[in-house]
Amino acid sequence: MFTRSIGLLAFAASVTAAGCPYMGAEEARDAPAQHAGVHRRDATTDTNDFLARYELDDTDTYLTSDVGGPFSDQNSLSAGERGPTLLEDFIFRQKIQHFDHERVPERAVHARGAGAHGVFESYGDWSNITAASFLGSQGKQTPIFIRFSTVAGSRGSADTARDVHGFAVRFYTDEGNFGLSYHPGYIVGNNIPVFFIQDAILFPDLIHAVKPSPDSEIPQAATAHDTAWDFFSQQPSTLHTLFWAMAPNGIVRSYRHMDGFGVHTFRFVTDDGASKLVKFHWKSLTGKTGLVWEEAQVLAGKNADFHRQDLFESIEKQRFPEWELAVQIMDEQDQLRFGFDVLDPTKIVPEELVPLTKLGKLTLNRNPRNYFAETEQVMFQPGHIVRGIDFSEDPLLQGRIYSYLDTQLNRNGGPNFEQLPINQPRVPWHNNNRDGAGQMFIPLNTAAYSPNTLNRASPKQANQTSGRGFFTAPGRTFSGNLVRAVSSTFNDVWSQPRLFYNSLPPVEQQFLINAIRFETSNLKSDIVKNNVLIQLNRVSHDIASRVASALGLTAPAPDATYYHDNKTAGVAVFGTPLLRLDGLRVGLLTTAADTTDYTSLKSALATHNVDLVVVAEHYGGSSTTQTYAQADATGFDAVIAAADPSFFSPITSTPEFPSGRPLSILLDAYRWGKPVADLKGVFKGVAIPDGEGVIVASGADEGFVGKLVDALRTFKFLGRFPVDGKA
Ligand code: HDD
């Protein structure tokens, strides 16, 4: 029987056999087996090599045209040395034409991102709750591709912009792709398990408000402008997500340090049709942590690629990031049981009400080999679900099912985007969809319709009982009049932002308030500022008053309708020690003339997968790995002062680096809450006081390393940040 993926394999094999210079030795070794005909790769073992057959290796080859003829392309063909270029110069035309068409439209949202390959491994046989095959047995492995992103910025924007962070996972299951798009959380944390709006029809309004102003195209990757806050204050369903984004959850230390969430309620369905409601969570096995706002802002200029670099380097160094997939499982009849509607995407289901069940583990273990072919072309589609998963009636999810498929037409210029290597299922596919731009396969079935007799009724229809087909949960029923309104059970949009705020420690509450102060201070419209205060006041008079004081305005009188003192666990970003220190960087500030041997410190930190970066004025010292011209505090998670006090002067006289750089690294690290250590009696002279996360020692011995490692686990020392009304 013809299968499309087999067809392509056969093609690859035949060109290899003919000695095509594109194919590497490995491909050539594979060729006979693939050429032999039926070759179905096993999705359970095919974790990383699926794309290998598409890779082009140019080593030791001649440059060719797109159709394979060797030529040279460094000069165009002209009539005489000083004459015009000829129209017949097909070499020029092909090269320039391809270049002119290199770009596809960037994603309308989530344009800035980074991806990685990995594998999901099921902790058990979960067939008692879902028929999903990737959860069907203990140890079962399914290849995945993940893409992390920010939402508002364009493709070249800075990674550390304050934003919701995309956490989209594509499972290449043995029952077709399962593209779950997670709105992740931003920051380490519960990241952002909720969304701004309740009905997908408002998505264009939200995005138009958040994106840069249509006249000036300012500001990039930021919500600190009038249209964003105008929308937020007119559409208070945004408040809960907005609070998460303004809190430290909006500025994560790295993609590895954040959790992810499926946001919507989905359904798990068993083989016999029994269904449960579920919410998906990805729990970071690195641990959650974040940046502070000023640090994130500086990073946006110093290293716009901070997050993608962290991800790429972690994987290159084989410090594979991991998350656990967990679900909250609820009975169908519990939809309104908790005092809110579980179909409302602006609500979390507190873990105190429904605990997490851990289903498996995701490991990212391979970087893309080509950003465009993989990360830029990968598509995610919440509408692609597999047998054993079903939608809920969440109106935001319902709209997304359409939008993601539709947007691919714009990005890829036709309906065959699923045939791109990164998007192809890892199983053969058979259907009567035909033609369209970029069709890569040669369907053999001339009876491209169902039912047919001419192709022996194939491809056959699969359903719940035959062919392990997808089926909708049989228990789903609906009736009612047609209405153009959200459910009244979605009306309370103020209690949960308050729950979130109540649950933060005072310093994180302060960070949230400071972020709102920063954003609203940038607003020009007094009407918008006052509307913001009205909404904040419905959540908390304390927040409204503290923001109002910064704006020189007066908060409205308390409006206690939604005030309560409930709390939930696990929403804060700081305060829980990191589980792994992988990839953290300690900057050792020294001089090129210093001869101290830091090899043992370096090795001791390396046992925790922490990198020691030795900074000096120039290369040439025995262990220098960075110069002061490059270095600044954003590049380090902890800093050690290891040069004489005179070196940490506000003004330095060497042209090798900006004046005062060693001191500013030290002070910034302290002000941004990082562990700081002193090996040379520096701190007194620069007014760094004793306190938590401040380590003073006379040498980098074992005890010193222990203290430094403990401090890195804490990561940020929040006692250094003032809180309103407290000294
Ligand atoms: Fe969306 C991309 C997550 C609501 C329409 N969305 C996109 C990505 C993520 C999310 C992670 C990037 C995927 C990638 O890396 O390629 N979006 C969410 C979440 C939502 C959400 C968690 C709410 C719970 N989105 C949402 C709505 C709509 C869209 C309501 C439209 C009605 N989203 C899109 C889009 C994008 C997209 C315009 C841009 C590129 C793409 O889809 O493929 O169609």
Side-chain angles (χ1 to χ4, degrees):
M1 170 147 320
F2 168 76
T3 72
R4 292 174 193 212
S5 55
I6 291 165
L8 194 71
L9 286 168
F11 165 75
S14 60
V15 287
T16 303
C20 170
Y22 288 160
M23 300 293 162
E26 234 180 270
E27 189 74 46
R29 271 202 309 278
D30 273 347
Q34 294 181 4
H35 204 45
V38 181
H39 174 95
R40 176 176 158 159
R41 283 188 185 243
D42 180 356
T44 58
T45 55
D46 179 20
T47 53
N48 270 330
D49 65 348
F50 178 83
L51 297 172
R53 74 197 68 168
Y54 296 100
E55 287 164 7
L56 299 180
D57 181 357
D58 293 335
T59 318
D60 295 332
T61 61
Y62 280 106
L63 185 84
T64 75
S65 73
D66 280 347
V67 288
F71 58 38
S72 55
D73 74 348
Q74 297 300 287
N75 298 100
S76 45
L77 184 69
S78 56
E81 269 187 26
R82 302 179 59 251
T85 304
L86 298 185
L87 182 60
E88 87 165 49
D89 189 355
F90 70 100
I91 298 175
F92 169 86
R93 278 189 285 120
Q94 178 194 278
K95 185 173 180 181
I96 298 301
Q97 183 186 57
H98 202 280
F99 172 76
D100 289 344
H101 294 263
E102 270 179 14
R103 299 283 172 268
V104 298
E106 67 174 32
R107 289 166 173 87
V109 286
H110 296 266
R112 172 77 185 171
H117 293 273
V119 62
F120 175 81
E121 183 168 328
S122 178
Y123 284 158
D125 169 1
W126 300 104
S127 55
N128 58 327
I129 44 172
T130 174
S133 127
F134 75 101
L135 292 168
S137 60
Q138 185 176 358
K140 178 158 186 174
Q141 297 198 337
T142 301
I144 66 96
F145 189 83
I146 196 162
R147 185 171 175 275
F148 301 109
S149 48
T150 49
V151 179
S154 59
R155 203 183 136 184
S157 59
D159 283 347
T160 55
R162 180 184 290 285
D163 206 342
V164 172
H165 290 55
F167 192 118
V169 184
R170 185 170 179 131
F171 292 78
Y172 299 91
T173 75
D174 53 10
E175 283 182 330
N177 285 343
F178 173 43
L180 263 185
S181 247
Y182 290 99
H183 215 189
Y186 259 65
I187 280 197
V188 261
N190 254 3
N191 274 344
I192 300 185
V194 282
F195 201 67
F196 295 97
I197 49 172
Q198 296 164 318
D199 184 335
I201 202 167
L202 289 178
F203 193 70
D205 300 283
L206 167 71
I207 301 306
H208 291 167
V210 164
K211 284 273 187 179
S213 180
D215 50 2
S216 58
E217 179 85 339
I218 297 173
Q220 179 54 241
T223 50
H225 56 110
D226 285 66
T227 53
W229 287 85
D230 191 22
F231 184 76
F232 298 150
S233 58
Q234 293 302 296
Q235 185 54 253
S237 67
T238 56
L239 287 170
H240 194 189
T241 307
L242 189 61
F243 271 36
W244 282 80
M246 293 294 128
N249 308 63
I251 37 177
V252 292
R253 161 61 177 77
S254 81
Y255 298 134
R256 299 179 296 125
H257 291 96
M258 66 188 198
D259 289 346
F261 301 89
V263 179
H264 311 284
T265 296
F266 287 83
R267 282 185 164 85
F268 267 176
V269 190
T270 60
D271 268 329
D272 59 12
S275 63
K276 297 265 190 197
L277 304 170
V278 290
K279 279 199 168 271
F280 293 107
H281 297 242
W282 292 106
K283 289 282 179 197
S284 168
L285 289 174
T286 309
K288 299 186 292 185
T289 199
L291 304 170
V292 297
W293 179 225
E294 199 193 348
E295 183 184 13
Q297 286 176 298
V298 174
L299 261 171
K302 295 277 185 185
N303 185 0
D305 307 307
F306 188 64
H307 288 156
R308 60 167 61 171
Q309 187 178 350
D310 176 277
L311 180 68
F312 196 87
E313 286 180 359
S314 296
I315 295 173
E316 284 303 289
K317 291 180 179 165
Q318 311 222 341
R319 296 162 179 169
F320 297 138
E322 293 184 319
W323 286 261
E324 280 187 313
L325 176 65
V327 279
Q328 290 178 290
I329 307 172
M330 299 164 281
D331 289 332
E332 288 278 357
Q333 58 272 23
D334 286 349
Q335 298 196 10
L336 296 171
R337 182 177 141 205
F338 307 112
F340 55 86
D341 194 332
V342 301
L343 297 183
D344 176 355
T346 69
K347 303 294 184 293
I348 59 164
V349 177
E351 289 176 32
E352 292 82 358
L353 298 177
V354 183
L356 298 182
T357 303
K358 290 176 181 170
L359 302 181
K361 190 170 74 174
L362 171 71
T363 305
L364 303 185
N365 55 17
R366 188 167 74 74
N367 279 314
R369 295 197 176 109
N370 183 279
Y371 186 89
F372 182 85
E374 300 174 68
T375 310
E376 196 58 17
Q377 293 203 121
V378 68
M379 75 158 287
F380 294 93
Q381 157 58 327
H384 281 179
I385 50 174
V386 292
R387 178 187 173 88
I389 315 268
D390 199 2
F391 304 118
S392 73
E393 294 68 40
D394 173 344
L396 192 72
L397 172 60
Q398 294 281 319
R400 293 179 74 199
I401 295 165
Y402 163 71
S403 181
Y404 290 71
L405 209 53
D406 183 47
T407 202
Q408 306 309 324
L409 296 176
N410 182 43
R411 299 198 70 225
N412 296 286
N416 290 316
F417 45 83
E418 302 284 12
Q419 297 180 9
L420 294 168
I422 189 67
N423 292 331
Q424 273 186 37
R426 300 301 193 251
V427 292
W429 69 97
H430 308 271
N431 59 43
N432 297 324
N433 296 337
R434 286 291 186 274
D435 309 342
Q439 171 59 256
M440 295 199 13
F441 295 92
I442 304 172
L444 301 183
N445 175 11
T446 52
Y449 52 85
S450 290
N452 72 56
T453 56
L454 297 179
N455 199 44
R456 295 193 291 160
S458 290
K460 298 189 269 292
Q461 305 287 327
N463 57 30
Q464 185 176 355
T465 49
S466 72
R468 281 191 62 79
F470 174 80
F471 62 98
T472 295
R476 287 175 70 182
T477 60
F478 301 96
S479 63
N481 296 330
L482 304 186
V483 284
R484 201 174 266 286
V486 293
S487 167
S488 59
T489 54
F490 286 23
N491 283 355
D492 171 8
V493 292
W494 296 276
S495 297
Q496 282 220 352
R498 187 174 174 100
L499 176 73
F500 173 74
Y501 182 73
N502 288 348
S503 309
L504 296 178
V507 175
E508 289 192 46
Q509 290 181 337
Q510 185 70 50
F511 286 154
L512 186 159
I513 284 168
N514 291 351
I516 301 179
R517 284 171 169 169
F518 167 83
E519 301 247 332
T520 53
S521 297
N522 281 292
L523 304 183
K524 298 188 185 82
S525 162
D526 287 336
I527 297 172
V528 173
K529 287 182 200 169
N530 278 303
N531 287 340
V532 171
L533 293 178
I534 291 168
Q535 292 302 341
L536 295 178
N537 195 54
R538 288 198 180 134
V539 177
S540 155
H541 185 63
D542 175 50
I543 303 176
S545 309
R546 287 161 74 181
V547 172
S549 75
L551 296 178
L553 298 172
T554 309
D559 170 359
T561 318
Y562 299 99
Y563 294 174
H564 63 81
D565 295 324
N566 298 338
K567 291 185 180 181
T568 182
V571 301
V573 163
F574 301 116
T576 308
L578 290 178
L579 302 169
R580 294 178 192 171
L581 303 180
D582 293 8
L584 298 191
R585 291 153 60 90
V586 174
L588 183 116
L589 310 184
T590 182
T591 58
D594 188 85
T595 52
T596 316
D597 182 5
Y598 290 106
T599 319
S600 64
L601 174 63
K602 194 170 184 159
S603 322
L605 290 174
T607 61
H608 299 275
N609 286 333
V610 172
D611 297 324
L612 183 72
V613 181
V614 179
V615 192
E617 312 89 297
H618 50 254
Y619 290 108
S622 57
S623 50
T624 309
T625 43
Q626 218 175 66
T627 66
Y628 286 105
Q630 303 163 269
D632 69 277
T634 57
F636 307 124
D637 300 289
V639 168
I640 303 171
D644 288 338
S646 60
F647 192 63
F648 294 93
S649 158
I651 308 286
T652 34
S653 57
T654 168
E656 285 179 303
F657 52 83
S659 190
R661 177 59 66 78
L663 178 63
S664 63
I665 296 177
L666 198 54
L667 293 182
D668 284 345
Y670 179 79
R671 290 185 303 114
W672 297 340
K674 299 174 197 255
V676 287
D678 184 1
L679 295 177
K680 298 270 186 172
V682 172
F683 284 1
K684 249 201 188 92
V686 299
I688 292 183
D690 285 346
E692 290 192 335
V694 177
I695 304 163
V696 178
S698 52
D701 58 12
E702 215 175 290
F704 173 81
V705 174
K707 283 184 195 158
L708 185 61
V709 164
D710 281 348
L712 281 169
R713 282 209 182 87
T714 303
F715 199 76
K716 289 280 185 213
F717 290 89
L718 300 184
R720 296 180 203 160
F721 298 89
V723 171
D724 286 350
K726 292 193 185 139

